[in-house]
Amino acid sequence: MHPAPSVIVFTTLSGLGFGLLIFLGLGLPDVTGMVAFVFFAIAYALAVGGLLASTFHLGHPERALKAFSQWKTSWLSREGCCAVGALVAMGLYGFGTVFLGTAWPLVGLIGALLSLATVFTTSMIYTQLKTIPRWNMPLTPALFLSFSLAGGALLAGQETVATVLLIIAGGVQLAYWVKGDQAFAASGTTLATATGLGNGGTVRAFEPPHTGTNYLLREFVHVVGRKHSQKLQVIGFALGFALPVLLLVLPFNGLMLKHIMAAVAVLSHLAGVACTRWLFFAEAEHVVGLYYGKR
Amino acid sequence: MTELPNSTDRKMGLVIDLDTCVGCHACVISCKGWNTENYGAPLSDQDPYGSDPSGTFLNRVHSFEVQPQACGTQPAPAAQLTHFPKSCLHCEDAPCVTVCPTGASYKRVEDGIVLVNESDCIGCGLCAWSCPYGARELDLAAGVMKKCTLCVDRIYNENLEEIDRVPTCVRTCPAGARHFGDLGDADSDVSKLVAERGGFDLMPEMGTKPVNKYLPPRPKDQIEDQIDILAPLLAPVTGDAGGFMGWLDRALDKIPGGAN
Ligand code: SF4
Ligand code: SF4
């Protein structure tokens, strides 16, 4: 799949933003006033910024309101509904903690659940697609949820929880890469099933339908070199999980140093997740590539 | 609405004969023409006269080569070329419809045709991601999703002669490789054709239940040892010419720069 920057930015930032909202909704950390304001500002900047980025790749963003209508069948529509619900509930909760100095736990819990649901629905947009075997597996929601929770805990300053969640998320990522590499072959879709010509012998794409490129090739066929992808896996894993965990468990003296290290951990995690998210799209192969003799 | 109907009254669709298609791309051109001049946003081209032309098409013809396995009777079988037109298969279980967030994509109850309501489409592209066959293309100029409409503006169009009330690709195909009809009716001509010729689904494992069917290429005749029945009569009578002609032949061979 074409790794569109708008979609990478969207899933990376809003995953982190909704992750932070989950923890804020649960009262972790239990903050009020100015401190709460800063936390909510960061969470909303990430979540809303990501959602806005996602509209950049639409052909008609001005009709985006229509996308809330088909929640009965469409995961994309469900995502939109959950996101708005989460932002409204958490806005209410945030208003209480920032301006009234009181936290309404029930509102916070609802907001946290809707935030979690938003991340889950985002992941299901990709997971539901049988046409992209690398995404069409239960590890995809696990990947999005574990990343969001780990990042949220890290941003919320929940050191112990964050350490555990980062290790889990790193593990899910490794499993996803191993499983993902086998997914296309396991799907059973080949040029023979795509053309129905397999009975006669070995099928080969002989001539494409046109000499130039087209929407399908631009959108669905993106070839990442094996070496390139391995390098990015190492960088993504190191920045996203290994380094943040290291920074969390190393004993630093002094509040200032601790804060700086936490900030470094967050930035490193963000860069690492963006890197693995690029791979998530770039390495995903759509079955339509078979018709073009490409994957 | 993006909920699929439980069943449709009719299942209008195409039957494409891979044995007959000669790969002329006439259907591609007539489709582009009809669907640019009629229903919905025109099928745009980008950089059409430049060095990197591309454009929106609802029907494209691929060509595949099938290499049969060598066996005792055929130690070196010839590869076979199959031209392969591909457009929307108007699936019964169309994933492109259910993924659509706006309700722009829908499947009609009356005839099973899958359509896009262009004024509702936000151009998110998700339906194209969900189609295994590459049947949907986002038009770059209009920013909306385009797909085969089964020429919904021809097949019921009483302003046209009756003979023209079929999809334009079917009407145009000079080889008669494309057939149109109700695949939900077991007695229709297309259903009979599918039954007779062993029509099949593309990527059945995707669970999309396509309405359009493909007919397999017929087995080719064997190439016999002697292709040309006149050849034995034309064989040279003697191998080496003698006498004057033989001498002339040898003498000519000796001249440098000759053919041999
Ligand atoms: S062929 Fe593709 S676009 Fe057409 S109905 Fe099936 S899934 Fe949808
Ligand atoms: S591109 Fe248009 S028709 Fe396709 S899923 Fe998005 S809104 Fe629906």
Side-chain angles (χ1 to χ4, degrees):
Chain A
M1 300 294 288
H2 169 64
S6 63
V7 184
I8 294 169
V9 168
F10 153 59
T11 58
T12 306
L13 294 189
S14 69
L16 205 57
F18 283 108
L20 177 55
L21 285 177
I22 294 170
F23 283 90
L24 291 177
L26 297 175
L28 302 167
D30 192 1
V31 282
T32 49
M34 207 46 214
V35 185
F37 179 77
V38 174
F39 270 111
F40 275 97
I42 294 173
Y44 271 78
L46 291 170
V48 177
L51 286 177
L52 284 181
S54 77
T55 61
F56 291 166
H57 78 282
L58 296 182
H60 282 278
E62 78 281 4
R63 300 177 186 157
L65 275 187
K66 292 186 195 283
F68 294 103
S69 65
Q70 302 302 311
W71 48 270
K72 272 192 190 163
T73 62
S74 165
W75 283 106
L76 181 51
S77 185
R78 287 174 197 157
E79 181 205 39
C81 297
C82 286
V84 169
L87 291 175
V88 168
M90 287 308 293
L92 198 63
Y93 180 77
F95 182 82
T97 56
V98 174
F99 298 107
L100 309 177
T102 42
W104 297 305
L106 187 63
V107 181
L109 184 67
I110 293 172
L113 286 176
L114 282 170
S115 302
L116 193 69
T118 307
V119 179
F120 177 68
T121 46
T122 305
S123 73
M124 284 310 289
I125 296 171
Y126 305 109
T127 310
Q128 68 177 336
L129 298 169
K130 274 197 195 162
T131 48
I132 302 165
R134 199 183 274 270
W135 292 350
N136 188 228
M137 36 181 211
L139 274 173
T140 304
L143 190 80
F144 277 72
L145 288 170
S146 65
F147 276 36
S148 171
L149 288 171
L154 191 61
L155 273 179
Q158 306 298 306
E159 288 179 27
T160 340
V161 184
T163 311
V164 176
L165 288 173
L166 279 169
I167 293 172
I168 294 175
V172 172
Q173 176 65 87
L174 291 180
Y176 178 84
W177 281 329
V178 172
K179 267 266 186 210
D181 283 345
Q182 305 152 2
F184 204 107
S187 77
T189 297
T190 60
L191 187 52
T193 69
T195 59
L197 296 172
N199 291 339
T202 324
V203 190
R204 177 171 82 88
F206 183 76
E207 253 183 344
H210 39 79
T211 50
T213 184
N214 67 11
Y215 168 76
L216 302 168
L217 290 172
R218 283 191 298 264
E219 188 81 356
F220 300 131
V221 179
H222 187 96
V223 180
V224 197
R226 187 81 210 136
K227 263 203 200 134
H228 196 60
S229 110
Q230 269 163 355
K231 252 186 237 158
L232 284 172
Q233 288 183 346
V234 172
I235 296 172
F237 189 81
L239 289 180
F241 309 101
L243 188 61
V245 167
L246 201 67
L247 291 173
L248 283 176
V249 295
L250 282 184
F252 290 109
N253 287 321
L255 198 62
M256 195 57 199
L257 193 61
K258 250 185 141 32
H259 273 125
I260 293 175
M261 285 307 145
V264 173
V266 167
L267 291 178
S268 164
H269 175 72
L270 188 63
V273 171
C275 181
T276 65
R277 203 44 61 80
W278 186 88
L279 275 175
F280 176 81
F281 287 98
E283 283 201 299
E285 301 152 317
H286 195 290
V287 293
V288 78
L290 291 170
Y291 287 110
Y292 289 87
K294 298 179 175 162
R295 270 185 39 188
Chain B
M1 293 308 100
T2 60
E3 274 171 278
L4 286 166
N6 287 330
S7 68
T8 56
D9 299 343
R10 286 178 303 152
K11 295 177 190 171
M12 302 312 286
L14 300 175
V15 174
I16 295 172
D17 191 343
L18 297 179
D19 191 64
T20 318
C21 173
V22 293
C24 69
H25 293 241
C27 54
V28 176
I29 302 307
S30 75
C31 169
K32 177 101 171 177
W34 179 266
N35 288 292
T36 289
E37 291 148 14
N38 294 282
Y39 168 88
L43 303 174
S44 71
D45 290 319
Q46 279 68 44
D47 196 18
Y49 303 107
S51 57
D52 187 20
S54 76
T56 312
F57 286 80
L58 310 182
N59 175 32
R60 294 183 185 261
V61 179
H62 295 251
S63 297
F64 298 107
E65 185 192 72
V66 181
Q67 175 64 61
Q69 215 97 73
C71 60
T73 48
Q74 271 198 298
Q80 200 173 314
L81 196 64
T82 300
H83 302 293
F84 196 98
K86 188 161 56 59
S87 52
C88 173
L89 308 164
H90 298 279
C91 306
E92 280 179 58
D93 239 327
C96 57
V97 170
T98 52
V99 299
C100 176
T102 62
S105 275
Y106 62 104
K107 186 168 176 72
R108 309 209 313 176
V109 183
E110 60 269 40
D111 50 18
I113 299 180
V114 174
L115 288 176
V116 174
N117 176 351
E118 290 177 4
S119 58
D120 276 356
C121 173
I122 56 172
C124 67
L126 193 57
C127 52
W129 291 22
S130 76
C131 170
Y133 312 106
R136 292 178 166 237
E137 300 188 15
L138 190 78
D139 188 86
L140 287 189
V144 296
M145 196 52 73
K146 300 295 298 185
K147 69 175 294 298
C148 160
T149 67
L150 215 58
C151 286
V152 72
D153 49 352
R154 286 176 69 97
I155 57 178
Y156 303 117
N157 190 340
E158 295 187 355
N159 295 322
L160 298 179
E161 300 276 341
E162 184 145 13
I163 192 174
D164 288 327
R165 287 182 219 154
V166 291
T168 187
C169 56
V170 174
R171 185 77 182 93
T172 302
C173 179
R178 312 181 65 106
H179 307 268
F180 167 71
D182 181 5
L183 287 142
D185 169 6
D187 294 327
S188 68
D189 286 348
V190 280
S191 295
K192 284 188 205 150
L193 191 59
V194 169
E196 193 181 302
R197 292 276 307 281
F200 58 84
D201 289 348
L202 304 187
M203 288 191 206
E205 71 279 6
M206 284 283 158
T208 49
K209 293 203 247 151
V211 168
N212 285 13
K213 300 284 183 255
Y214 281 77
L215 305 181
R218 293 184 173 91
K220 289 284 181 264
D221 289 344
Q222 302 297 311
I223 298 177
E224 291 157 20
D225 291 344
Q226 189 54 267
I227 306 175
D228 189 347
I229 50 163
L230 289 179
L233 306 175
L234 298 172
V237 181
T238 54
D240 280 314
F244 174 72
M245 288 311 284
W247 171 83
L248 187 63
D249 201 26
R250 283 191 298 278
L252 287 175
D253 274 351
K254 279 190 191 130
I255 298 173
N260 296 320

